[in-house]
Amino acid sequence: MDNQSEYGLTDALSYLEACNTEEANKILTTTCVNDLSNPKIAFTMECACYWKDILSHISTDSPYENGDYLLQEWKTFIAVKKSQSYVYDAALYACCRGVFSTALRYFHRLLNEKDLVYRAEILKKVGLCYKKLGEYDNAKRCLSEANTCHKSQAGVLAELADCYALCGDDRAAKLLFREAFFIDYKKIDIEFFDSNLINILVQKTRELGYTGEMLNAWIPVYGVLWGVFNIKRSLRAQEIGKLKQDIYALETDNKDPARTTPQLVPRLINMYFWLIDYCQTNNDSRLINEILLKIKILDTNIYNLYVK
């Protein structure tokens, strides 16, 4: 790559960070014209073209719709790009800065929202954007406020956990990740995670062949088995009562071929893990043995990994 192309690539990356895809693409096709086959330039041009097309579809006057559209498109974009044989990290970083700073501006317009449930959703999106931009203190502040507005949202707790992991507080991260996946694994966007603590667990679980909702359902199970979700909290009496009711309901569904689903097994196993934790605290070995037998019947491999 000659000097002119290097300077052009640097400028193009700067424009991508500003989400100015038009100018980025113009520079790449003019200044770098002699090096278009260079993998860095080719990859950056692909990114610029991709987001130029995406941004051309933003026409609604709704800041929330615009911001959420960018977030959803990011998940598609990053999945496609990371699956390619060559990945230019500087271009991905520039796109990340551009996309999430733009989305943040849209969501910021809505921070005067008074409805607490909607405000919590907006704060979650604002916190996510701050996290992707590396502003972890702002991210934690927004996500904590979101949790105050609307308690125990799985998506909020998962993003907050990711922030703590990125800041080096693994204990808080493990506790919150475990809580989030227990509350509702279906509401967690694993594509937005940045910390190694959770991404290594996600990747290892994915390598077992799980995808989509099944991947999310099995992550907390293997999180326990592989020692990632090893920070636990004591459950209150009311929570134990609800946990036992939920377990009974799932056990009933599992006996009915018309109501059982593939996700039911990992969900039920995760509930059993939580109940075992409670039994260990209360030295209830009889109930522990009953639960272990149920796990063995559900999945012998999981049982063997758990008791070894």
Side-chain angles (χ1 to χ4, degrees):
M1 188 191 306
D2 60 31
N3 289 338
Q4 180 177 328
S5 294
E6 285 188 9
Y7 292 136
L9 178 58
T10 299
D11 286 344
L13 292 173
S14 295
Y15 279 115
L16 278 181
E17 281 196 43
C19 219
N20 188 339
T21 54
E22 287 270 4
E23 200 62 34
N25 195 54
K26 186 186 299 182
I27 287 176
L28 290 168
T29 54
T30 54
T31 309
C32 306
V33 67
N34 295 323
D35 281 305
L36 294 180
S37 61
N38 181 285
K40 292 182 179 180
I41 292 174
F43 188 92
T44 304
M45 185 175 290
E46 289 175 12
C47 293
C49 290
Y50 184 98
W51 287 106
K52 178 183 176 183
D53 179 63
I54 295 301
L55 293 170
S56 71
H57 289 88
I58 292 182
S59 57
T60 175
D61 291 330
S62 168
Y64 185 87
E65 287 182 16
N66 286 342
D68 195 53
Y69 174 66
L70 290 175
L71 299 191
Q72 298 310 313
E73 286 298 329
W74 176 261
K75 291 196 293 185
T76 303
F77 168 77
I78 203 68
V80 170
K81 289 304 172 190
K82 286 196 172 182
S83 68
Q84 294 181 191
S85 57
Y86 177 79
V87 176
Y88 184 34
D89 288 335
L92 290 186
Y93 174 78
C95 288
C96 181
R97 297 285 305 177
V99 170
F100 285 94
S101 60
T102 302
L104 180 60
R105 286 194 292 272
Y106 283 124
F107 292 126
H108 254 296
R109 300 180 194 174
L110 305 169
L111 285 177
N112 290 327
E113 175 62 44
K114 301 302 181 184
D115 180 86
L116 291 181
V117 174
Y118 187 35
R119 178 173 173 76
E121 184 64 21
I122 294 165
L123 285 165
K124 182 183 80 170
K125 300 292 175 67
V126 171
L128 168 62
C129 291
Y130 275 131
K131 186 196 76 173
K132 299 299 285 187
L133 294 169
E135 298 184 35
Y136 302 134
D137 287 340
N138 283 334
K140 287 192 289 185
R141 174 179 54 78
C142 291
L143 292 165
S144 296
E145 186 181 344
N147 189 50
T148 300
C149 292
H150 190 199
K151 288 286 187 183
S152 301
Q153 296 180 88
V156 171
L157 293 180
E159 286 300 330
L160 192 54
D162 201 33
C163 284
Y164 276 111
L166 290 165
C167 293
D169 190 346
D170 285 358
R171 184 177 181 82
K174 289 179 175 185
L175 180 65
L176 289 171
F177 272 131
R178 186 170 185 262
E179 192 85 18
F181 276 96
F182 179 73
I183 291 170
D184 194 346
Y185 63 87
K186 291 177 287 188
K187 295 290 180 64
I188 297 173
D189 280 319
I190 61 175
E191 297 88 352
F192 289 132
F193 290 151
D194 289 326
S195 65
N196 286 333
L197 187 151
I198 191 65
N199 278 333
I200 291 172
L201 172 60
V202 170
Q203 184 56 34
K204 286 179 66 178
T205 307
R206 182 181 282 117
E207 288 169 0
L208 296 175
Y210 299 114
T211 59
E213 194 173 304
M214 284 294 286
L215 173 60
N216 278 39
W218 279 105
I219 283 171
V221 174
Y222 285 100
V224 171
L225 296 176
W226 294 332
V228 180
F229 291 179
N230 59 354
I231 305 299
K232 305 165 185 179
R233 68 172 178 86
S234 298
L235 294 176
R236 298 182 295 273
Q238 184 178 0
E239 291 177 304
I240 286 298
K242 184 177 186 308
L243 176 60
K244 290 180 177 179
Q245 289 178 350
D246 291 343
I247 286 174
Y248 178 77
L250 285 185
E251 287 175 338
T252 302
D253 287 348
N254 196 40
K255 295 173 184 176
D256 184 352
R259 299 175 69 180
T260 190
T261 65
Q263 294 84 3
L264 189 149
V265 170
R267 179 63 174 152
L268 193 50
I269 290 173
N270 192 34
M271 287 185 175
Y272 286 149
F273 287 167
W274 278 71
L275 188 53
I276 287 174
D277 292 339
Y278 172 77
C279 292
Q280 288 173 338
T281 302
N282 291 273
N283 298 314
D284 191 343
S285 57
R286 181 192 60 81
L287 184 53
I288 289 175
N289 289 331
E290 288 181 12
I291 300 168
L292 288 174
L293 179 58
K294 290 180 177 181
I295 294 174
K296 188 174 185 178
I297 293 171
L298 271 181
D299 193 312
T300 304
N301 182 54
I302 296 297
Y303 168 82
N304 290 334
L305 288 171
Y306 187 72
V307 299
K308 74 175 183 179

